[in-house]
């Protein structure tokens, strides 16, 4: 019953509510009228004990109630809603929800009218609402008068002073349009008539037309060519942003690009699966998170737009995309990573995360038992020889073919094996590799020099000439040597995967870890050699660099990367094609890319 009248959009129901409100307001207004008439029935003070302010408040309340809450709602709202549809033969009023909202604004207005009596003893202005009492602390009408005069004065000055500025702006817009049309016209004319033999310098003519428009008035307003350039730069910036967003969405919608595989590769690089438990509050929090530098914030928003779930948080110089809702994790995240397996050791963390999530969603287990079971799963350590089950087909193929993966890949024998490359291409797809390099890879310019010759030549000028700069590609991993070896094969890189430490490069053949791998007979086992050690794949070979540039470009020379790695790849590849022998330019580009990675490049660069 309550919902019918509260949410009703029927014109007849709304008209009845108008009549009920008008009846209530009429009774309140009649009561005020009775008090006023009883007070005026005889000379002197009768019932209000000389309180003139209260008498004036009653007069105002009676007038407002009778006009705005009785006559108008009953005649317009009540009879209008009830009779108008019958008169025109309509089933209901147009915009019924707005009609309902229009009624419910009236009770709120009535509440405001009643509560106004509590502000400075009420508005005792009389039924004409004119200020006649000197006891009020402020004069509302006088304030309104001054405010109106101030607005009129400001508008007068604005129209008087800014008129010429608007004329200038209109003239500049027309000149810019004329510039664009004339540029296109001269380009077409040059192409058709002169055929690059007698080229007319069209920009010179355009600059002739871009005369300086300066108007002086009382406020010394000026409209110069600099303002025109600012507007053009602003419009060009908007166009660039729109085209960049369209360009990125086109890359994501490319038929050869799989966004789910790209997301798995990005997670293999910079993603985490975490489970937090709190025994005191009996809470279990699941978090899937990808963390990147702040300059790559747009990439996380693209992921959020694609998945339609998650939140983005900023902390200092890092930006994180997080999904914590269990329904969203089960319905969106888990299906992606079940269909497209993680290739690194993060697969182990994902399987523990999924197992904990399934336990948490089990309604047959109480909360404390869930926490205890999840804590037991969390304390499990990853096996030393753990390899993602995504590589099972490769390991099975190697065992059937009696191939020692560790020895064969180290000697580059598998790079010419077609069966191996086909199987690897199905596991480590191009989309996965793009996402993984987006997170872990680096395109940079490095310095190379012959230390022996530099030591023999103490002359600084000669030593400088011995220094050369070249393009390099590198990618590193704490574990998962198999992943780097597979990338080496896919990108046809000749250099070896090196085991490095903070002090320098370690010889891969003579490390204790290699002996453990060969002795146990386990290919590419995961191990902890020492604190701070990691694997790195790096190449400066010009043939490798050319193949990498072709591998990560479309046929129209657009990069396949989605984030700021696209900018890094463009600078890297263009400087290789244009300035690979110009060491001064490569040195400047190296400093520029280093400053870019450290987020110290200003907007002027």
């Amino acid at each position: 019953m309550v919902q019918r009248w509260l949410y009703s959009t029927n014109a007849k129901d709304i008209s009845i509510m108008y009549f009920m409100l008008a009846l209530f307001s009429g009774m309140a207004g009649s009561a005020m009228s009775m008090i006023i008439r009883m007070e005026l029935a005889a000379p002197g003070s009768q019932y209000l004990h000389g309180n003139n302010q209260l008498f004036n408040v009653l007069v105002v309340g009676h007038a407002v109630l009778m006009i705005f809450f009785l006559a108008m709602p009953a005649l317009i709202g009540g009879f209008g809603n009830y009779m108008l549809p019958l008169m025109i033969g309509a089933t209901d009023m147009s915009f019924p929800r707005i009609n309902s909202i229009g009624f419910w604004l009236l009770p709120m207005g009535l509440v405001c009218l009643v509560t106004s009596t509590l502000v400075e003893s009420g508005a005792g202005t009389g039924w004409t609402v004119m200020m006649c009492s000197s006891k009020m602390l402020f004069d509302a009408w006088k304030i309104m008068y001054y405010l109106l005069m101030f607005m009129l004065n400001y508008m007068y000055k604005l129209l008087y002073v800014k008129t010429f500025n608007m004329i200038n702006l209109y003239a500049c817009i027309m000149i810019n349009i004329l510039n664009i049309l004339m540029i296109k016209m001269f380009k077409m004319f040059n192409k058709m008539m002169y055929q690059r033999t007698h080229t007319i310098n069209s920009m010179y003519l355009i600059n002739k037309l871009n005369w300086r428009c300066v108007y002086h008035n009382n406020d010394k307003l000026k409209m110069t060519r600099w303002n025109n350039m600012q507007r053009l730069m602003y419009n060009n910036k908007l166009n660039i942003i729109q085209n960049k967003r369209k360009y990125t969405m086109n890359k994501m919608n490319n038929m050869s690009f799989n966004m789910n595989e790209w997301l798995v590769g990005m997670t293999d690089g910079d993603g985490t699966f975490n489970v937090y438990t709190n025994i005191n509050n009996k809470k279990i929090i699941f978090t899937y998170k990808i963390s990147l530098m702040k300059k790559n914030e747009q990439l996380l928003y693209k992921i959020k737009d694609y998945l339609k779930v998650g939140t983005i948080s900023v902390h200092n110089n890092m930006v994180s995309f997080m999904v914590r809702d269990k329904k969203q994790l089960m319905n969106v995240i888990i299906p992606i990573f079940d269909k497209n397996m993680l290739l690194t050791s993060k697969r182990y963390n994902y399987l523990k995360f999924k197992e904990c999530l399934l336990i948490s969603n089990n309604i047959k287990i109480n909360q404390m038992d869930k926490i205890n079971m999840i804590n037991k799963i969390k304390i499990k350590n990853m096996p030393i020889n753990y390899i993602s089950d995504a590589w099972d087909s490769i390991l099975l193929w190697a065992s059937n073919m009696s191939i020692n993966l560790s020895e064969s890949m180290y000697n580059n024998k598998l790079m010419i094996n077609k069966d191996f490359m086909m199987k690897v291409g199905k596991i480590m797809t191009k989309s996965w590799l793009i996402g993984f390099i987006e997170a872990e890879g680096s395109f940079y310019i490095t310095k190379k020099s012959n230390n022996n010759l530099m030591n023999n030549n103490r002359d600084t000028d000669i030593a400088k000439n011995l220094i050369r700069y070249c393009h390099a590609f590198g990618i590193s991993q704490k574990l998962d040597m198999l992943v780097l070896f597979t990338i080496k094969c896919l990108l046809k890189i000749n250099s070896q995967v090196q085991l490095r430490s903070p002090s320098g490069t370690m010889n891969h053949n003579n490390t204790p870890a290699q002996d453990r791998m060969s002795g146990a007979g386990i290919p590419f086992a995961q191990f902890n050699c020492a604190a701070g050690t990691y694997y790195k794949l790096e190449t400066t070979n010009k043939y490798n660099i050319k193949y990498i540039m072709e591998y990560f470009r479309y046929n129209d020379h657009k990069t396949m990367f989605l984030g700021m790695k696209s900018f890094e790849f463009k600078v890297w590849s263009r400087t290789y094609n244009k300035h690979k022998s110009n060491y001064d330019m490569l040195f400047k580009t190296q400093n520029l890319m280093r400053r870019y990675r450290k987020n110290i490049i200003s907007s002027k660069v």
Side-chain angles (χ1 to χ4, degrees), residues 393-405:
S393 61
I394 294 291
L395 300 178
L396 180 62
W397 173 83
S399 62
N400 293 335
M401 300 294 293
S402 300
I403 295 176
N404 188 336
L405 282 177

Side-chain angles (χ1 to χ4, degrees), residues 372-390:
N372 294 331
M373 294 173 66
I374 289 173
N375 286 334
K376 290 180 181 179
I377 296 173
K378 287 176 61 180
I379 61 176
K380 291 182 181 179
N381 293 324
M382 184 175 62
I384 294 177
N385 59 345
Y386 179 79
I387 297 176
S388 172
D389 53 351

Side-chain angles (χ1 to χ4, degrees), residues 32 58-69 126-128:
M32 291 182 183
L58 289 173
V59 171
V60 175
H62 167 70
V64 174
L65 283 173
M66 286 300 185
I67 296 172
F68 297 105
F69 292 93
W127 73 273
T128 57

Side-chain angles (χ1 to χ4, degrees), residues 190 194-200:
N190 292 337
Y194 289 86
Q195 298 179 355
R196 298 185 181 180
T197 57
H198 301 284
T199 306
I200 297 177

